[in-house]
Amino acid sequence: MTNKIPARFILPENKIPQQWYNLRADMKEQPDPLLNPGTGKPIQTEELYPIFCEELAKQEMDSTTRYFDIPGPVMDVYRKFRPSPLCRAYSLEKYLDTPAKIYFKYEGGNTSGSHKLNSAVAQAYYAAQQGLNGLTTETGAGQWGTALAEACAYFHLPLKVYMVKGSYNQKPFRKSIMQTFGAEVIASPSDTTNAGRAILKEDPDTTGSLGCAISEAVEVATTTPGYRYVLGSVLNQVLLHQSIIGLESKIAMEELGEYPDIVIGCAGGGSNLGGLIAPFMQDKILGKANPYFIAVEPASCPSLTRGRYAYDFCDTGRVTPLARMYTLGCDFIPSANHAGGLRYHGMSPILSKLYHDGLLDEARSAKQTDVFDAAVLFAKLETILPAPESSHAIRCAIDEALRCRETGESKTILFGLTGTGYFDMTAYTQYLEKTMTDYVPTDADLAPYFDRLPKIPGVQE
Amino acid sequence: MTNKIPARFILPENKIPQQWYNLRADMKEQPDPLLNPGTGKPIQTEELYPIFCEELAKQEMDSTTRYFDIPGPVMDVYRKFRPSPLCRAYSLEKYLDTPAKIYFKYEGGNTSGSHKLNSAVAQAYYAAQQGLNGLTTETGAGQWGTALAEACAYFHLPLKVYMVKGSYNQKPFRKSIMQTFGAEVIASPSDTTNAGRAILKEDPDTTGSLGCAISEAVEVATTTPGYRYVLGSVLNQVLLHQSIIGLESKIAMEELGEYPDIVIGCAGGGSNLGGLIAPFMQDKILGKANPYFIAVEPASCPSLTRGRYAYDFCDTGRVTPLARMYTLGCDFIPSANHAGGLRYHGMSPILSKLYHDGLLDEARSAKQTDVFDAAVLFAKLETILPAPESSHAIRCAIDEALRCRETGESKTILFGLTGTGYFDMTAYTQYLEKTMTDYVPTDADLAPYFDRLPKIPGVQE
């Protein structure tokens, strides 16, 4: 071994976290409550039961329980792929000639290829415990659908996945892998739901959106006996499960005698970023440390950097509860030329609140060609082909490390490497063949979506 | 944690092997020497220098050095993805209701998606050390090409990959990932070589074969200044590098207080099997233990179970040295409907010798639909989507575990899970859609290839 700190560090048995951490229990100000779109009143836990299974509805609404025990059967599955490694990007550091230390938490080492499995396992387990007949969900790039298909196969639950049509057509192998795990995969918008038919009527050639796929999945869950809906990001419960990323990262860094000065995560709906930063944000809130947090999003879908902090629907079909979050408007769909994932119109209410309050220090957007520059460089140096989503964080980590080279500061950088790019070779090929283009919406492009934000008497006029 | 032995065990820092193990040093009878096809005389190390870089040629010919230090820069890359986990297939055991304990060594957790990276890194390093201008190789399913592309990117070496045309057309993403790592990828047979042109002339519609791609890669290596050829399997040097799999497995099992009764590996050219069994075979040879070794190969390419133990060319174009091995004949090409990898006509001379001498206890062939039955079952239970190649070993492990259920024996089974099936979704889809068929060559199918085995005066008439 050439270096003192290993290039890849995996927690020893006796240090593996057995609980998830609920950041809300330490937040001095809570995210604004979910609202019933009909009444404009805060949602009660019971109102969520037709959508979510009961245990998950409770987790969604629980802002006081600081730690949740990870159930034994969930832990059994976690132990098949966790703890995930905390890696030191020695080759990248050397190439950049930076005094910065670059760490990344690598969540791509399971078959789903991403961090999504962390919450998928939990959600499938609770659904199976409740004796449900099946689940519905949506998937965009396919990472969530793959993870949930795996989890449902393990817990013997039928699953219907509404897959954004653009991805469905571009990524046939994503569809195949979900089918291999036994899931039914439907291109969205589809003619199987009212929401899908309405969207198709308006734009028969649409390539779909996450918001639209959510509408369809929620409609099917609420109209099929014994079915419930599950979501892979945005929700409080998802950030709770994903806290395992941050918890492991923090303990691993402690074992190595390290603590991050900067924590960087890509941000679509916020599941990875929220999970990664959770225990470090606890330190910040409690005054124990002061890490600098950066969220990185695509320039073509810039909810945090250019969205409104407002109540909005979580879906395009306007059937879900209203959440207060940074949003581009629930019918915003990023340009079809955007290959880099992170296509959701909104952002986790927890992260939105933290950003609004200045605790999540910075949000930054990146153009996709800059992101793929970083991805290919990273792949060649670190022998991991990153997912385009994850590569937003790599881009930012490289930029911060280059800044350290200028200033001479030896900062400790931690970023989340959420997954692998195995199913994104079409995008990599576009990049290599230089047919990949960048798209940044103008203010005029965004304005109509903001105009259509829901009006809620007394709350949001 | 529910179980005493973790579902996934990774060696602690102080137990990580720093050397490769050369099984030949303990073999009481050596494999027959490589022969110069022109003279019929044993090859001298220097004769290999035009084909292989010098250090690798020396490793190829060295049957006495028991351990080779893993060079620091190779170790640096290994540490990015090694040690790989030793996993306990608890869910599979439970499903099979078997008293057997099923362990697998999981080599799919790196971006190349397979164990091939272990040798690729070593070979690229030695080539870079020698100051070569570039490398050539062949790839079939694409695992080796991907691994070598990664390794060459890391050590800044140009690489030309001759990819079996059938795979080239069926697996465009495999091509893309190699290109992402900077490799040039050429469909084989091609019109860039004499060997390729000759084969195309005979059969313009051929989907190619590994043997043919080897011919082309060797020709280009030996005719391009400063280029050398590298191979991902079959060779002694490859088994040496792959011994890291077995070494880690053995130490990990020792740490867990375990020792395998049965060791199972899939076998194409033998790189994984040879690496996995190496230190256990040492125990067997030295009389320290008596594990039972099983090689599993596809019924459609049955070199060990139905091939001849004879001198043959390593390539279809008959340009390489002659190796004594179990072979189906160097121009044998498995049926195009075979999706499961392991398509090579021959078998590692070391493994061939061990099998011939009864030290490698058993070779078994499996039909591909039976293999995919095992693959899908394993994926659903263990949340890892296995490569078709690896799934041959899964099939056998399941069969052995079921036998234990019948006999009541609590055997400890170890198999090699060499890689992931991310790039094999076409095959999985065929399986799911029930369009996958089995093919077993008849004796009459095989006979003409045996008739064309090379005649070597005084050695093989």
Side-chain angles (χ1 to χ4, degrees), chain A residues 1-2 8 10 13 76 79-80 82-83 91 110-111 150 176 181 379 382-385 422-423 429, chain B residues 1-2 8 10 13 76 79-80 82-83 91 110-111 150 176-177 181 379 382-385 422-423 429:
Chain A
M1 194 171 49
T2 313
R8 201 183 62 136
I10 294 169
E13 282 296 310
D76 286 344
R79 296 310 309 282
K80 293 180 189 291
R82 308 203 67 83
S91 307
N110 64 73
T111 285
E150 280 189 46
S176 300
F181 283 101
E382 296 295 337
T383 76
I384 292 173
L385 186 83
Y422 290 98
F423 289 96
T429 302
Chain B
M1 196 171 46
T2 314
R8 202 183 61 138
I10 293 168
E13 282 297 312
D76 286 345
R79 296 310 310 280
K80 293 181 189 290
R82 305 205 69 83
S91 306
N110 65 71
T111 285
E150 279 189 44
S176 301
I177 194 170
F181 283 101
E382 294 296 336
T383 76
I384 292 173
L385 186 83
Y422 289 100
F423 289 96
T429 302

Side-chain angles (χ1 to χ4, degrees), chain A residues 58-387:
Chain A
K58 286 176 192 161
Q59 290 183 353
E60 189 63 29
M61 301 296 278
D62 188 337
S63 57
T64 55
T65 305
R66 187 167 280 108
Y67 293 98
F68 285 82
D69 287 343
I70 303 174
V74 173
M75 208 66 205
D76 286 344
V77 188
Y78 275 10
R79 296 310 309 282
K80 293 180 189 291
F81 64 99
R82 308 203 67 83
S84 71
L86 178 75
C87 304
R88 176 86 180 264
Y90 280 116
S91 307
L92 183 61
E93 288 173 18
K94 191 176 168 195
Y95 177 87
L96 298 175
D97 190 23
T98 177
K101 292 186 277 189
I102 307 175
Y103 287 92
F104 60 92
K105 180 69 166 168
Y106 178 44
E107 294 287 320
N110 64 73
T111 285
S112 83
S114 82
H115 69 294
K116 296 286 188 183
L117 195 53
N118 299 328
S119 186
V121 172
Q123 295 195 49
Y125 165 73
Y126 288 121
Q129 276 298 96
Q130 194 176 318
L132 294 180
N133 294 335
L135 293 174
T136 72
T137 196
E138 77 296 323
T139 197
Q143 290 186 335
W144 168 246
T146 305
L148 190 65
E150 280 189 46
C152 284
Y154 184 87
F155 290 111
H156 308 292
L157 267 178
L159 170 67
K160 293 182 194 208
V161 181
Y162 283 84
M163 184 174 187
V164 175
K165 195 178 277 176
S167 289
Y168 184 93
N169 292 329
Q170 268 182 29
K171 300 187 175 185
F173 294 161
R174 270 289 182 199
K175 180 182 58 181
S176 300
I177 194 171
M178 289 184 266
Q179 289 169 334
T180 299
F181 283 101
E184 181 186 350
V185 186
I186 304 124
S188 168
S190 76
D191 61 4
T192 65
T193 64
N194 291 328
R197 284 186 291 268
I199 292 163
L200 280 174
K201 195 174 168 191
E202 211 162 286
D203 180 3
D205 298 324
T206 179
T207 53
S209 71
L210 266 184
C212 160
I214 294 173
S215 298
E216 295 203 82
V218 170
E219 182 179 326
V220 171
T222 51
T223 56
T224 309
Y227 268 68
R228 294 293 185 281
Y229 166 73
V230 294
L231 178 64
S233 190
V234 183
L235 298 173
N236 301 334
Q237 58 187 271
V238 176
L239 268 67
L240 172 69
H241 307 146
Q242 295 294 358
S243 68
I244 192 75
I245 303 173
L247 292 164
E248 285 182 7
S249 298
K250 193 177 165 208
I251 299 167
M253 294 200 86
E254 283 167 2
E255 292 283 302
L256 300 172
E258 294 278 23
Y259 194 90
D261 298 304
I262 304 173
V263 184
I264 299 166
C266 63
S271 68
N272 152 69
L273 180 69
L276 176 66
I277 69 174
F280 300 106
M281 185 62 83
Q282 179 186 38
D283 286 351
K284 186 162 190 149
I285 291 169
L286 301 180
K288 290 181 179 172
N290 192 23
Y292 188 82
F293 299 108
I294 309 177
V296 194
E297 59 186 14
S300 58
C301 192
S303 59
L304 276 176
T305 49
R306 297 176 65 199
R308 297 280 169 81
Y309 187 49
Y311 267 108
D312 198 3
F313 291 95
C314 300
D315 70 320
T316 308
R318 297 175 179 243
V319 301
T320 64
L322 295 163
R324 189 164 180 214
M325 57 184 176
Y326 281 87
T327 178
L328 295 163
C330 71
D331 42 11
F332 176 84
I333 300 178
S335 162
N337 86 346
H338 173 64
L342 309 173
R343 305 169 69 93
Y344 188 61
H345 67 273
M347 179 58 64
S348 142
I350 291 175
L351 290 176
S352 292
K353 176 68 177 166
L354 292 168
Y355 183 55
H356 187 68
D357 291 353
L359 286 159
L360 169 52
D361 298 276
E362 185 183 341
R364 205 179 275 189
S365 72
K367 292 182 188 176
Q368 68 178 353
T369 53
D370 294 336
V371 166
F372 276 82
D373 285 345
V376 172
L377 178 67
F378 183 85
K380 290 182 176 176
L381 292 167
E382 296 295 337
T383 76
I384 292 173
L385 186 83

Side-chain angles (χ1 to χ4, degrees), chain B residues 135-319:
Chain B
L135 293 174
T136 72
T137 197
E138 76 297 323
T139 198
Q143 290 185 337
W144 168 247
T146 304
L148 190 65
E150 279 189 44
C152 285
Y154 184 88
F155 289 112
H156 308 293
L157 268 177
L159 171 66
K160 293 182 194 208
V161 181
Y162 284 84
M163 185 173 186
V164 176
K165 195 179 275 178
S167 289
Y168 184 93
N169 292 330
Q170 266 180 30
K171 300 187 175 186
F173 294 162
R174 269 288 182 199
K175 180 181 60 180
S176 301
I177 194 170
M178 289 185 265
Q179 290 169 334
T180 299
F181 283 101
E184 182 185 350
V185 186
I186 304 125
S188 168
S190 76
D191 61 4
T192 65
T193 65
N194 292 329
R197 284 187 292 268
I199 291 163
L200 280 175
K201 195 174 169 191
E202 210 160 286
D203 181 3
D205 297 325
T206 177
T207 53
S209 71
L210 265 184
C212 161
I214 293 174
S215 298
E216 294 205 79
V218 170
E219 180 180 326
V220 172
T222 51
T223 56
T224 309
Y227 268 67
R228 293 295 185 280
Y229 166 71
V230 293
L231 178 62
S233 192
V234 184
L235 299 172
N236 302 335
Q237 59 188 269
V238 176
L239 268 66
L240 173 69
H241 307 146
Q242 295 295 358
S243 69
I244 192 75
I245 303 173
L247 291 165
E248 285 182 7
S249 298
K250 192 177 166 208
I251 301 168
M253 294 201 85
E254 283 167 2
E255 292 283 303
L256 299 173
E258 294 277 23
Y259 195 90
D261 298 304
I262 305 173
V263 183
I264 300 165
C266 62
S271 68
N272 153 68
L273 180 69
L276 175 67
I277 69 174
F280 300 105
M281 185 62 83
Q282 180 187 37
D283 286 351
K284 187 164 191 146
I285 291 170
L286 301 181
K288 291 183 179 173
N290 192 23
Y292 188 82
F293 298 109
I294 309 176
V296 194
E297 58 185 16
S300 57
C301 192
S303 58
L304 277 176
T305 49
R306 298 177 64 199
R308 297 279 168 82
Y309 187 49
Y311 268 107
D312 198 4
F313 291 96
C314 301
D315 69 320
T316 307
R318 299 174 177 242
V319 301

Side-chain angles (χ1 to χ4, degrees), chain A residues 445-459:
Chain A
D445 291 332
L446 296 178
Y449 300 101
F450 295 140
D451 292 344
R452 290 197 291 274
L453 284 170
K455 310 282 183 277
I456 310 151
V459 178

Side-chain angles (χ1 to χ4, degrees), chain B residues 312-313 318 329-332 447-455:
Chain B
D312 198 4
F313 291 96
R318 299 174 177 242
C330 71
D331 43 9
F332 175 85
Y449 300 101
F450 295 140
D451 293 343
R452 290 196 291 273
L453 284 170
K455 311 280 182 278

